[in-house]
Amino acid sequence: MLSRTADHLFWMSRYTERAENTARMLDVNYQTALLPQSTAVAELGWKGLLSISELLPAYKAKHESFRSSEVMEFMVRDESNPSSIISCLRAARENARAVRGTLTTEVWETQNQTWLELNRMLRSGEFESDPAQFFEWVKFRSHLSRGVTVGTMLMDEALYFMRLGTFLERADNTARLVDVKFHALQSDFYGAASEKDQEYDFYHWSAILRSVSGFEIYRKVYRDVIKPERVAELLILRPDMPRSLHASLNEVVGNLAMVAGEPASETLRRAGKLRAELQYGRIDEILATGLHAFLTQFLDRVNELGMHVSREFLLPAAQ
């Protein structure tokens, strides 16, 4: 396959997944902002979301406060923000259009219809009137895109590069989402908390689990009250949780193996090493050494992995 074609397919999937994950991060912040809390605490949550998305300087250049309406506007419809939902879905559609002949009609029409419908919804004010419903729509369109891709594309290199882009992006975003929540939480894992604190935390942990479609899965796996260390274990180490870091790396390694020309591929080696650490890791060891440090290092390594994928298989990165 031409590296240019592989590049478009890879980034089409990454941008679609990024739009979904941006919607998930906004949704968890929007839901927790509805809980009783001070203005300062609410603003801290929005500031944390921008910080972990590496968008704090860009946001502060345009806004003075961290009100929910302004942050959501910046993250949804601000076209100058390359990580906003409108920017991601436009980029996904443009990459799809560039390789229209490689995609099935169903995949192209799904991408194109998502872009057209997004513009209609933003013009009509549907986002402002019901943000939660809008975020659900973004997630649904991403689900639809993945389902149509798997259900209609030939199982060849084109599909493998699309899947590779999806799961690299998912690993990155799940790590960011977990880091936002755990790093911002004030109460200690094992410290004594008041009954009110425990009730407050329950709603926050429920919100983050729902944001990754993990609330029902948590109940099924652990059959217990929601505990921070188990939430971390579910979202980092469980290979059977679809949006966990471990599950995402399983997919990355599997799809890399299908496109790598030789077993000695440096990209495949790095991906396999990172996957092995998740496969044999223990949550108590991760928490003992520091969850924030672990996730920061993980994000650095996933970013390096993405650069190696570009060097080995895709278009050379611009200098």
Side-chain angles (χ1 to χ4, degrees):
M1 172 176 285
L2 290 174
S3 62
R4 183 177 298 278
T5 301
D7 190 72
H8 284 303
L9 294 169
F10 176 81
W11 284 105
M12 179 191 80
S13 295
R14 283 203 76 153
Y15 279 121
T16 301
E17 182 73 17
R18 187 173 300 177
E20 177 187 348
N21 284 286
T22 298
R24 288 178 179 275
M25 284 199 291
L26 286 168
D27 195 31
V28 69
N29 259 57
Y30 176 70
Q31 298 293 345
T32 53
L34 297 177
L35 298 172
Q37 57 187 319
S38 68
T39 303
V41 171
E43 288 192 355
L44 196 62
W46 292 111
K47 188 176 180 180
L49 185 149
L50 291 163
S51 178
I52 203 67
S53 302
E54 300 178 5
L55 292 170
L56 199 53
Y59 178 85
K60 289 170 75 173
K62 302 184 72 172
H63 302 277
E64 294 181 356
S65 65
F66 294 95
R67 289 199 296 268
S68 61
S69 58
E70 292 180 344
V71 176
M72 288 199 292
E73 178 81 8
F74 179 72
M75 294 295 287
V76 170
R77 64 192 309 163
D78 191 331
E79 297 184 37
S80 67
N81 171 14
S83 293
S84 68
I85 289 175
I86 192 169
S87 295
C88 288
L89 291 181
R90 180 198 291 110
R93 192 247 187 192
E94 288 304 307
N95 276 286
R97 188 171 62 85
V99 288
R100 172 69 186 84
T102 306
L103 304 174
T104 60
T105 300
E106 291 90 343
V107 172
W108 161 247
E109 288 183 348
T110 299
Q111 289 285 348
N112 194 45
Q113 184 61 35
T114 298
W115 172 244
L116 296 174
E117 185 71 6
L118 172 71
N119 282 277
R120 184 197 66 77
M121 293 175 78
L122 293 180
R123 282 197 305 270
S124 67
E126 290 182 40
F127 160 56
E128 288 83 359
S129 63
D130 192 348
Q133 186 59 40
F134 174 79
F135 297 141
E136 284 300 318
W137 176 84
V138 174
K139 289 188 278 184
F140 171 77
R141 294 305 297 188
S142 179
H143 296 163
L144 182 61
S145 176
R146 273 196 308 277
V148 168
T149 298
V150 173
T152 67
M153 290 285 292
L154 184 67
M155 296 181 187
D156 63 358
E157 286 187 337
L159 178 63
Y160 303 143
F161 277 113
M162 291 165 75
R163 301 282 286 175
L164 183 57
T166 293
F167 289 102
L168 262 180
E169 188 66 31
R170 182 176 296 183
D172 178 275
N173 281 278
T174 297
R176 291 179 189 275
L177 184 67
V178 173
D179 199 29
V180 165
K181 181 58 192 170
F182 281 76
H183 194 47
L185 198 71
Q186 299 300 311
S187 59
D188 189 357
F189 279 147
Y190 306 107
S194 69
E195 186 175 328
K196 185 178 179 181
D197 286 340
Q198 290 173 354
E199 180 182 343
Y200 183 73
D201 283 354
F202 170 81
Y203 287 112
H204 277 73
W205 295 124
S206 298
I208 191 173
L209 285 170
R210 290 184 194 281
S211 77
V212 291
S213 305
F215 184 79
E216 293 164 337
I217 292 175
Y218 183 96
R219 292 296 197 200
K220 187 173 184 179
V221 171
Y222 295 106
R223 302 177 184 275
D224 198 356
V225 296
I226 298 175
K227 297 180 180 178
E229 60 271 24
R230 287 185 171 173
V231 174
E233 181 180 56
L234 182 72
L235 299 185
I236 295 172
L237 299 179
R238 293 283 304 201
D240 49 358
M241 165 61 188
R243 306 193 74 84
S244 74
L245 304 188
H246 189 174
S248 298
L249 262 292
N250 282 344
E251 290 283 351
V252 167
V253 171
N255 285 283
L256 265 176
M258 300 301 287
V259 298
E262 52 186 66
S265 163
E266 175 63 15
T267 309
L268 184 57
R269 186 193 71 80
R270 286 172 176 264
K273 184 178 179 183
L274 185 55
R275 193 264 300 267
E277 291 178 17
L278 295 168
Q279 184 175 353
Y280 297 107
R282 289 166 54 100
I283 196 62
D284 54 344
E285 294 173 350
I286 291 173
L287 294 177
T289 56
L291 184 63
H292 179 61
F294 172 85
L295 291 171
T296 301
Q297 185 188 53
F298 178 88
L299 285 166
D300 288 342
R301 292 173 70 183
V302 165
N303 186 45
E304 287 178 9
L305 190 57
M307 289 190 290
H308 276 274
V309 169
S310 293
R311 285 197 207 102
E312 190 169 342
F313 305 107
L314 311 178
L315 292 177
Q319 297 298 319

